[in-house]
Amino acid sequence: MSLFCRNKNNNKPVIRQVIDLIPRHLISKSINRFKTDKYCHKYKTYDQLVALLFGQLCKCSTLEDISIGIGVSETFISDLGLSQSPAKSTMSDGNKNRNYQVFEDLYNELLKYYGSPLSKYSNQKVVEEVKDFTVLIRDSSTIALCLSMFDWAKFRTAKGGIKIHTQWDEAMMLPTLINISEAKVHDSKGFEQVVFPKGTIIIEDKGYWDFKVISDRIQAENTFVTRIKDNTVYEVIEELDLPEHNDQHILMDELIYLTGKKAKEEKLETQVLRRVVAYHEEKNTTIEIITNNLDWKASTIAALYRRRWDIETFFKQLKQNLNVKTFVGTSPNAVKSQIFTALIAYLLLELLRRIKTKGKAAFSNFVEKIRICLCYYLTLDYVIQRIQPKAQRIKRKQKSMNFNEELPFF
């Protein structure tokens, strides 16, 4: 891609080169859509985006950290594309008042813009029987909040929290839909859309189990793969043969009818479904999976459900490497703005990691390397490809430092 150059030195710091991966016309498009620069003269949407991304990439825990980090010198401020460094109060007002949807929209625009290379370099192992299908995974992750500071996010009597409802695209290996709610919202209520275009495969945990949704998806010709709830009432119609020599982790494969009261209310009692029981070696447990697909191999059904671990890995990477557990603002708008800029940062870092390292580097190690070099004036290519965790020998003799000399004060 032409946006990467191979020279060692650059007239922009690494962080500016990462931010420049966001095409300016996409930023302008989102700004115009939500009018977020209207009546704003100094701290514009781009300024806030830079400040929040700086906070994410440098893992700043307060607005003061961001203000000091950006305002380290006039040269650095200019090289970030800003006319001045942001004050704490200015950033606080922007996080509270500027519509977070501008950052949500920008994230979605970046998904469209970089969708092809992200999918091409995802390094995801294809499940052969479903390689031509769209596979979506739905899950959520809860983030605890201090109830005294985030009183709008009441979860339990003495606890606060938010829940990030996430729809994961298996081909792109990134979230394509995010909904942020109070933690008390049930997983099954996290999204308005429950059916998809014909042929879509939806993978969910049993927290999403709902007879009405199952009925709607069957009518829409969607394929669902989910865990069956322990109290689900069903009748076995036929037990299917298991392979003799392959797929020994498949313990049971059978066709069933749902016979419970709620299933009958949705007229599902005559719908043939499939129950697959698979052994999970890593967790030393069995998983009971239910699906409306009667044709694929049982191992394909099990492999699809195991893809749920991809979204769990994403949540882990997001929380460990970016700032989504410590917030620099307490209003709902500030929290959502920070989460969506974290997603933008995640997308940009994944884009670099996949293309420049062919996905070989672990995400956490890759992020730390970028973070350490953020303020250096080196090309992204040099930082990613040439800097390695090994001893570097000085090629020419340097002047020794005399510790008795008085050092100049800067």
Side-chain angles (χ1 to χ4, degrees):
M1 298 177 70
S2 60
L3 48 88
F4 303 116
C5 55
R6 293 190 171 275
N7 297 322
K8 176 180 177 180
N9 298 313
N10 198 290
N11 59 358
K12 295 179 182 178
V14 168
I15 185 171
R16 174 62 188 276
Q17 294 172 67
V18 173
I19 293 172
D20 281 350
L21 293 174
I22 307 174
R24 291 303 291 261
H25 74 273
L26 293 186
I27 300 175
S28 298
K29 185 177 180 180
S30 296
I31 291 171
N32 293 334
R33 184 172 291 160
F34 292 94
K35 311 296 182 186
T36 52
D37 277 350
K38 193 174 182 180
Y39 308 122
C40 181
H41 302 291
K42 290 186 178 180
Y43 190 61
K44 297 194 174 184
T45 304
Y46 177 78
D47 298 18
Q48 185 178 358
L49 176 65
V50 171
L52 288 174
L53 284 176
F54 183 90
Q56 288 295 337
L57 295 171
C58 292
K59 221 171 183 181
C60 299
S61 57
T62 66
L63 292 175
E64 184 175 4
D65 293 343
I66 297 173
S67 181
I68 291 172
I70 292 178
V72 67
S73 77
E74 291 185 11
T75 301
F76 189 67
I77 295 168
S78 175
D79 290 343
L80 284 177
L82 305 176
S83 58
Q84 66 179 50
S85 63
K88 288 194 301 180
S89 58
T90 304
M91 285 188 285
S92 179
D93 291 341
N95 291 342
K96 182 179 179 180
N97 299 319
R98 180 169 282 119
N99 190 347
Y100 76 90
Q101 289 177 298
V102 69
F103 304 116
E104 179 183 17
D105 187 70
L106 180 58
Y107 174 75
N108 292 328
E109 290 295 332
L110 285 169
L111 281 177
K112 297 174 189 175
Y113 188 81
Y114 287 118
S116 179
L118 285 167
S119 298
K120 181 179 179 181
Y121 295 99
S122 69
N123 289 320
Q124 177 64 291
K125 187 177 179 181
V126 176
V127 180
E128 279 300 319
E129 278 194 288
V130 297
K131 63 181 180 180
D132 297 324
F133 291 83
T134 298
V135 180
L136 302 176
I137 306 172
R138 288 189 160 191
D139 202 354
S140 68
S141 182
T142 300
I143 297 174
L145 297 174
C146 177
L147 190 57
S148 62
M149 297 179 65
F150 301 84
D151 55 357
W152 52 270
K154 189 172 181 179
F155 182 23
R156 296 193 177 100
T157 304
K159 289 185 177 181
I162 57 172
K163 187 176 284 187
I164 306 177
H165 303 271
T166 306
Q167 180 174 291
W168 179 265
D169 186 290
E170 190 65 2
M172 203 181 301
M173 292 289 285
L174 279 168
T176 52
L177 184 61
I178 294 284
N179 180 36
I180 303 167
S181 73
E182 298 172 23
K184 63 184 179 182
V185 175
H186 195 270
D187 287 354
S188 61
K189 307 297 181 184
F191 297 104
E192 292 183 3
Q193 182 184 6
V194 295
V195 297
F196 303 89
K198 179 180 177 180
T200 304
I201 302 170
I202 307 104
I203 305 170
E204 295 167 326
D205 199 8
K206 59 185 176 183
Y208 292 85
W209 179 264
D210 184 279
F211 291 104
K212 176 67 166 63
V213 172
I214 288 173
S215 178
D216 291 342
R217 286 177 178 167
I218 290 171
Q219 292 296 319
E221 297 185 55
N222 297 158
T223 298
F224 60 84
V225 177
T226 185
R227 285 183 72 177
I228 190 170
K229 279 192 172 182
D230 298 335
N231 61 351
T232 302
V233 183
Y234 62 89
E235 174 189 340
V236 178
I237 308 169
E238 179 184 354
E239 191 167 328
L240 304 177
D241 294 333
L242 299 178
E244 292 185 10
H245 305 293
N246 300 323
D247 305 328
Q248 296 301 298
H249 63 294
I250 303 298
L251 306 180
M252 191 172 293
D253 188 6
E254 56 191 17
L255 302 181
I256 65 171
Y257 284 139
L258 298 177
T259 56
K261 181 181 176 182
K262 290 185 178 180
K264 289 179 180 179
E265 289 175 358
E266 298 298 333
K267 300 180 181 179
L268 289 170
E269 71 273 18
T270 58
Q271 176 68 45
V272 180
L273 298 175
R274 189 175 177 189
R275 176 176 172 267
V276 174
V277 181
Y279 176 68
H280 192 296
E281 187 175 355
E282 295 174 10
K283 296 189 176 181
N284 192 28
T285 187
T286 58
I287 301 173
E288 297 183 48
I289 307 165
I290 188 169
T291 180
N292 57 330
N293 185 280
L294 310 180
D295 302 319
W296 296 334
K297 293 187 295 185
S299 58
T300 296
I301 304 297
L304 280 170
Y305 186 78
R306 284 178 67 92
R307 290 296 169 91
R308 256 189 21 86
W309 276 264
D310 291 338
I311 196 171
E312 291 182 359
T313 299
F314 158 73
F315 285 134
K316 184 178 179 180
Q317 291 176 341
L318 189 70
K319 291 179 178 180
Q320 288 181 345
N321 298 283
L322 293 166
N323 247 8
V324 294
K325 293 195 295 183
T326 302
F327 292 95
V328 296
T330 58
S331 69
N333 193 78
V335 169
K336 292 178 181 180
S337 295
Q338 187 169 329
I339 290 175
F340 280 110
T341 49
L343 289 168
I344 292 171
Y346 184 91
L347 184 153
L348 298 177
L349 291 167
E350 265 294 273
L351 176 70
L352 287 168
R353 186 185 73 88
R354 293 182 193 181
I355 292 177
K356 301 304 291 180
T357 71
K358 307 302 180 186
K360 295 177 183 178
F363 183 78
S364 58
N365 294 340
F366 179 82
V367 173
E368 279 305 310
K369 182 194 282 192
I370 295 293
R371 179 171 288 132
I372 289 168
C373 299
L374 278 175
C375 297
Y376 288 96
Y377 286 68
L378 302 169
T379 65
L380 282 169
D381 185 85
Y382 180 83
V383 170
I384 295 168
Q385 303 283 17
R386 302 288 297 279
I387 297 178
Q388 300 298 329
K390 60 182 181 181
Q392 298 290 333
R393 186 180 296 276
I394 297 175
K395 295 181 179 179
R396 62 180 182 274
K397 189 174 181 180
Q398 303 292 316
K399 180 182 177 182
S400 299
M401 179 179 289
N402 185 347
F403 289 95
N404 293 321
E405 293 179 4
E406 185 176 344
L407 296 177
F409 179 76
F410 294 99

